[in-house]
Amino acid sequence: MKKIEAVIKPFKLEEVKDALVEAGIEGMTISEVKGYGRQQGHTELYRGAEYVVEFIPKVKIEIVVSNEEFANKAISAIKEAAHTGKIGDGKIFVSEIAKTVRVRTGEEDEEAL
Amino acid sequence: MKKIEAVIKPFKLEEVKDALVEAGIEGMTISEVKGYGRQQGHTELYRGAEYVVEFIPKVKIEIVVSNEEFANKAISAIKEAAHTGKIGDGKIFVSEIAKTVRVRTGEEDEEAL
Amino acid sequence: MKKIEAVIKPFKLEEVKDALVEAGIEGMTISEVKGYGRQQGHTELYRGAEYVVEFIPKVKIEIVVSNEEFANKAISAIKEAAHTGKIGDGKIFVSEIAKTVRVRTGEEDEEAL
Amino acid sequence: MKNKFLALLTLLALPIFAFAEDTLNTGDTAWMMVSTAFVLLMTPAGLALFYTGMTRSKNALNTFTMVMGAFVLAFVVWIIAGYSIAFGANENAMLQNVFGGFNHVMLSGVSWTDLSGSYPTYVFIAFQGTFAAITVAIASGSVIGRMKFSTWMVVVALWGILVYAPITHMVWGGDGALLFDAGALDFAGGTVVHMNGGLAGLVLAILIGKRAGYNTTAMKPFSIILTAVGAALLWFGWYGFNGGSAFGANAIAGLAVLTTTIATAAGAVTWMLIEWFVYKKATLLGVASGIIAGLVAITPAAGFVDVTGAFILGIVGSFVAFFGVVKLKKIFGYDDSLDAFGIHFLAGLWGALATAFLALNDKELLWDGPLKESGDRMGQFWVQVESVVVVGLWTLIGTIIVYYIASALTGGARVDEETEHNGLDESVHGEKGMNL
Amino acid sequence: MKNKFLALLTLLALPIFAFAEDTLNTGDTAWMMVSTAFVLLMTPAGLALFYTGMTRSKNALNTFTMVMGAFVLAFVVWIIAGYSIAFGANENAMLQNVFGGFNHVMLSGVSWTDLSGSYPTYVFIAFQGTFAAITVAIASGSVIGRMKFSTWMVVVALWGILVYAPITHMVWGGDGALLFDAGALDFAGGTVVHMNGGLAGLVLAILIGKRAGYNTTAMKPFSIILTAVGAALLWFGWYGFNGGSAFGANAIAGLAVLTTTIATAAGAVTWMLIEWFVYKKATLLGVASGIIAGLVAITPAAGFVDVTGAFILGIVGSFVAFFGVVKLKKIFGYDDSLDAFGIHFLAGLWGALATAFLALNDKELLWDGPLKESGDRMGQFWVQVESVVVVGLWTLIGTIIVYYIASALTGGARVDEETEHNGLDESVHGEKGMNL
Amino acid sequence: MKNKFLALLTLLALPIFAFAEDTLNTGDTAWMMVSTAFVLLMTPAGLALFYTGMTRSKNALNTFTMVMGAFVLAFVVWIIAGYSIAFGANENAMLQNVFGGFNHVMLSGVSWTDLSGSYPTYVFIAFQGTFAAITVAIASGSVIGRMKFSTWMVVVALWGILVYAPITHMVWGGDGALLFDAGALDFAGGTVVHMNGGLAGLVLAILIGKRAGYNTTAMKPFSIILTAVGAALLWFGWYGFNGGSAFGANAIAGLAVLTTTIATAAGAVTWMLIEWFVYKKATLLGVASGIIAGLVAITPAAGFVDVTGAFILGIVGSFVAFFGVVKLKKIFGYDDSLDAFGIHFLAGLWGALATAFLALNDKELLWDGPLKESGDRMGQFWVQVESVVVVGLWTLIGTIIVYYIASALTGGARVDEETEHNGLDESVHGEKGMNL
Ligand SMILES: Nc1ncnc2c1ncn2[C@@H]1O[C@H](COP(=O)(O)OP(=O)(O)O)[C@@H](O)[C@H]1O
Ligand SMILES: Nc1ncnc2c1ncn2[C@@H]1O[C@H](COP(=O)(O)OP(=O)(O)O)[C@@H](O)[C@H]1O
Ligand SMILES: Nc1ncnc2c1ncn2[C@@H]1O[C@H](COP(=O)(O)OP(=O)(O)O)[C@@H](O)[C@H]1O
């Protein structure tokens, strides 16, 4: 099984979710994260004190799929839906998952997804 | 070493933590996430505008253990404690960890856990 | 490619980030997490009700680097910068990444980092 | 002040007799309108924030809605019938003991030109309506996190008629009213408002049962900052509550303003010190609790005591409420979620009884009763005890009846388990407290 | 009250004639100063919180700043020229219909010893200034989330001069002023403030266009708790708004205090019930919305109606506003972000028209007009219609002009797409609403 | 107004002489009670929110507790001895310059029937007590994030006796008091409250040292929304502060209400414009800061100046405070955490000095002094300078002494490093600001 982690711009979440669902992926877990990279943050201003905000709000999507095929579908879906062409669009990382369990039923691996 | 990631219902956190500690697991890291899956979200209502909340609050638990045995103990503990039998109970994912370091002492791998 | 996940004390974030940038690492994703371990939490007090806070605020840093060398650089940088010597300094976990994609350009793997 | 009430009641009952001395005084009118606005602010802002900050985040909106919804509904009920029952003059002398009748339903028979002493009767009605509405809102604090919103709304409507209005009649209802005739001293509502609301809370809490996970899971407050702001707004509004209960911009109001401030500050300092000695920490929730304890304790006595009396009421009030909140609740094991009973009932009880001993023996301040007539403090004390017991019993029985009717009408008073787990905000109101 | 205005205007125009009866009354003065403070609180605290809570978190600070910034700038503009245009007496009879002239620019010709009836003219000026400032702030609710802050500031300044001041002159400007002469009844600003501000909001919303993602993405409110607190503070301040519009601590003020409370409570209960029947849920945003709808609906009538009238105004006001917010907006598809039009315009319109039928036929309450003169309700209704139409047209045209000037001066009224995406807090103000 | 003080003092000192003209006026009494409530609201709600919003989230509760705790303790100290020292009349003429004595400890010798001019002395005492309590609370803003709560409580208690009460006596203490006799003009506390509190803050900030990480780490405010709400509540309460300092509902109070509004609005607009020119952004914190700067600047002059004077005070006040906050702090490198010195001291200083030149030469407004007596503005300026210097020196020395005593009594004034790192909420109070 494969795990896809994608860090994207927050306002793209809805579109990415829709694209994934369309690609047949029906489960995912998201979290609010902050990114540091080439994209430059803005400056915050409090009574003359200027703070550069280097960590930029992003959303991380985690998806576990049963095989390479689904992984590729997911990657294409995200690549397309999250794309704006501007710096900071984010990254997708793929890694290996050894085992999956569905808590409700105890089903394992492919069946649990 | 193995990493166990479990996505569970937030109100089960306390029980799961206790079950893990009882199973001899004494370190873990948790975070607030939101899940998308079969479980249907509720509807929010603001002056006649209805929003379906598709992303449901969940808690993610990450545990790194030194071997298969502990991994299995952890999985059973979570499976049992997080179980309600209703849709949305969550999933457990297991993957491989290549290296662990304890920042305080510099100890590595099994010793660091 | 390697993924480094480090759980550190929140007030060390700035220093760790600087150390990583100095070590040539220019991308990372952080999130707010809570840790459970040897470090004892404090007690909260509300009208005579005392709650032990067992989950302690931590920051998780995720970095994907192209090879072992960078991984080691990152680990040393974190180890040093996050170190206070007191319990709760945190842990570093290393795992394998199979594939990386940059959303903006579609570049893959090393080029995407 | 009692004379004001008398004048008012006579005026209402016998509108034919016009008193030469009843002319509108602009200063008194200004003060009473301000006091009305101040007391109004106490509920949908003060108490709502005070309670919302203390509840768990998943019940924050529910808590706010219970307080705000109670206020608006109780005020409507007050206009429809509550005022008539509380301040009407019943022709049947027996009934007049506890019940003012239905003559003034929908304020019929009251005109915008009528005066209540030196200011418009309409202002008196609005002022007293804010008292009616805050009293039931106080009780909500005990049942937060498990009562259906529909049940609560029914409780509010019935309770305003069956419990609040008769009790107000008994204490402040003028000649022929039970405790009024007995000579009970309750300057601004120690029995009528605080004991009454606090005890109703306890009764409801016991009838509906504990929250799931009570005493086994951590129930952390949403934000003590909101609670502290709520306490500050309550303090502010309380100048209308106590100062307005002098029914004019006079020296008694001035006395009430000063004693209220002293008792409150002393109560807050006391709670900080108790926490410091017990826990080695002074908490913000502690300061806020001490403020409320001091305010409640001075309420029945605000226009009767001097500087020393105010200090004693505030300091001991904090001790009593601290004991109620930290010890009593543990001993008996009831789940008084936000301590409506622990603070309002106990500090109110303390204030009501202590008034007998701390009230100045000054005929210009006192109301008719044993103390005024013959300086008889023990006699006054027994009158205070009587009023506490009568009010307590009426509340106890009335609240039980109201609870069972409301529960029956709404198919059970308690939300289902899952709703309680997920928090009432989501299921009951379909809203979230904060979308960051 | 009309007489007060007349006295005032005469006083201003002919400072040589001193009226024997014009002596300062401390009670009236106290009440008017309090009312000024109360109305002030409504904008930078009440309305600001009400709106901030309803906006998306990324625009929370922008929303607050738009309201607070509007208030301070509009007040400065009021002192510089607004007051003179609104309450000056123009020597040219034709112009006097709509425009009071520039005699009192920077309050020249007004001294701290001048009285407006029984209290200082300076207090009258400050009191009216808070009305001017809240009116434009109300309009901001319609354009939240997409208008440049600089454009908004220019709109505020121009609108205060070109729209608000002339309309106020027409309605409240004394002899010779268009709608004043016609006999329009607007006790505290149903047309002047609420219809005016609400319609200006709609016009701006249509001119600037919808928010990106309107109707396709979820736009969740930052925190309804803030909105509810804002509603409570608005309610509190409204006692100054309506009660102060009696211009003294008198029986009419007392009437306004009572009717305001009744209509508001009834409006809130109504909204809860509507939601209950429609959605099976009562929301806190609903209670808060009902409170505002009730307050707006009673505003033009507060000193004219009785208990029944207050109930009707509040109950129907909630229905009207609910319809505006839930249905009308969907039908026509405009993006009135925070419903300034849906609530303020519609409930204000309802109140203004209904006043003709609900006002008591009591000469001591009524202002000159068909109803007072001959009990002619239909005649009064047509006057109310006239005032609604005139105010509406003036606002419509004036706001369009103001928008285009402001847009031209600031290089376009709308922020760029990225700024809108990221939220205005970050780009426009460089601040964040909350750093946890 | 000075006459009011004189009457009061005579009354206190010579209770045998009853003045025929001293009868209670209900309008004045209503206004003074309202003013007391308004000023009260400023501290536990207004200032507490203003500061809490600006602090880092880990110190939010600590900040609130420091303000609220200071208020209640300082008020208790005021009743015990502060009032006596400030407003007592010392028989020793030498001591009377700075110290009113202990005759009225625990308000002994003052009865609820005593009048201070036309309203109860008890109201005067409560009103002045809220001034005493806010002054020390202002100073907390400079030492947030590093001072032990226990040390702070000791500072509060001592400072109220050793610094605040004598300074108040000097300026407002009646015949024989140093700066009162000199003829200093300080309408509502520019020197007594704002310079005094602001300078005390700076002194404490320097003595305790900078926060760890000052100038190297980002110290982001918890929530500017809270700060803005706090500013709005402060503005509201300030009507009691400045308007109440006319000690009656009279034309001078009306003047103060108007000038206060003008200066504040002008100050806020100014700060927005400065930010716009310097940073191309107008921030909400900026608007809020401009509001406070305007309010502070007008305080010493509110009942002395006209419209133009109010504009000048507000506009320049914002420039001065902006300079203090943005430049001065950087130049000298002290860590005035929340800018108590930068805003309160500097704008207060500006107001106090400018009063000499902007006060109207109108004998009905002025207090005895060079300007009233002979229209001598330079003479008046030197009196203002004298009062600024005397108050400044007393505060400087007094605060240093108080700091060292408090530090000694509580085993060092500063929390340990780890506590500072983790935030004071957790370690000092054991609470969290928000549990989402
Ligand atoms: N090496 C990395 N490891 C983990 N996350 C990264 C890494 N590099 C970038 N990211 C994440 O991707 C986001 C986008 O990266 P950035 O360099 O700003 O733009 P782009 O991906 O368009 O080159 C960052 O905000 C960060 O969250
Ligand atoms: N393929 C997946 N990848 C990552 N997370 C998933 C995946 N499927 C489900 N989840 C997580 O598990 C949670 C529960 O899944 P759901 O389908 O709602 O119920 P169940 O696990 O009972 O079938 C989801 O809310 C989501 O957080
Ligand atoms: N086995 C584990 N799996 C995942 N996270 C862990 C594990 N053990 C510790 N952690 C994380 O590391 C943090 C520090 O661990 P702790 O035992 O408190 O101190 P130390 O690392 O100094 O021994 C914890 O708060 C938790 O977030």
Side-chain angles (χ1 to χ4, degrees), chain C residues 20-89:
Chain C
L20 285 167
V21 171
E22 211 161 285
I25 285 147
E26 304 212 311
M28 68 193 82
T29 301
I30 64 160
S31 48
E32 289 172 16
V33 298
K34 284 178 181 159
Y36 182 92
R38 286 174 219 197
Q39 188 188 359
Q40 295 231 342
H42 62 282
T43 301
E44 288 181 20
L45 198 63
Y46 300 102
R47 277 200 183 153
E50 294 186 70
Y51 301 123
V52 180
V53 178
E54 295 172 318
F55 293 103
I56 297 165
K58 301 277 170 191
V59 162
K60 178 161 105 177
I61 308 181
E62 286 172 83
I63 314 155
V64 176
V65 293
S66 35
N67 53 38
E68 193 86 28
E69 195 200 318
F70 266 111
N72 287 335
K73 275 195 192 168
I75 294 172
S76 333
I78 297 171
K79 258 205 316 209
E80 227 167 275
H83 188 263
T84 70
K86 296 208 195 111
I87 284 183
D89 272 358

Side-chain angles (χ1 to χ4, degrees), chain D residues 296-345:
Chain D
V296 170
I298 192 69
T299 295
F304 300 132
V305 298
D306 66 359
V307 172
T308 314
F311 267 108
I312 294 172
L313 281 162
I315 291 170
V316 179
S318 252
F319 272 99
V320 168
F322 184 85
F323 171 79
V325 159
V326 172
K327 284 277 164 216
L328 211 63
K329 197 162 68 164
K330 276 188 197 142
I331 295 171
F332 290 103
Y334 53 84
D335 178 11
D336 179 11
S337 325
L338 311 179
D339 299 312
F341 177 77
I343 293 192
H344 290 272
F345 179 86

Side-chain angles (χ1 to χ4, degrees), chain D residues 25 221-223 236 282 284-285 362, chain F residues 26 37 75 112 429 431 433 435:
Chain D
N25 175 296
F222 175 45
S223 175
F236 172 71
L284 181 56
L285 182 53
D362 180 329
Chain F
T26 57
F75 193 89
W112 69 274
H429 305 286
E431 290 170 308
N435 293 297

Side-chain angles (χ1 to χ4, degrees), chain D residues 257-278:
Chain D
V257 163
L258 182 69
T259 57
T260 299
T261 318
I262 290 174
T264 307
V269 171
T270 304
W271 199 297
M272 278 201 285
L273 288 173
I274 301 176
E275 283 194 328
W276 183 262
F277 282 108
V278 177

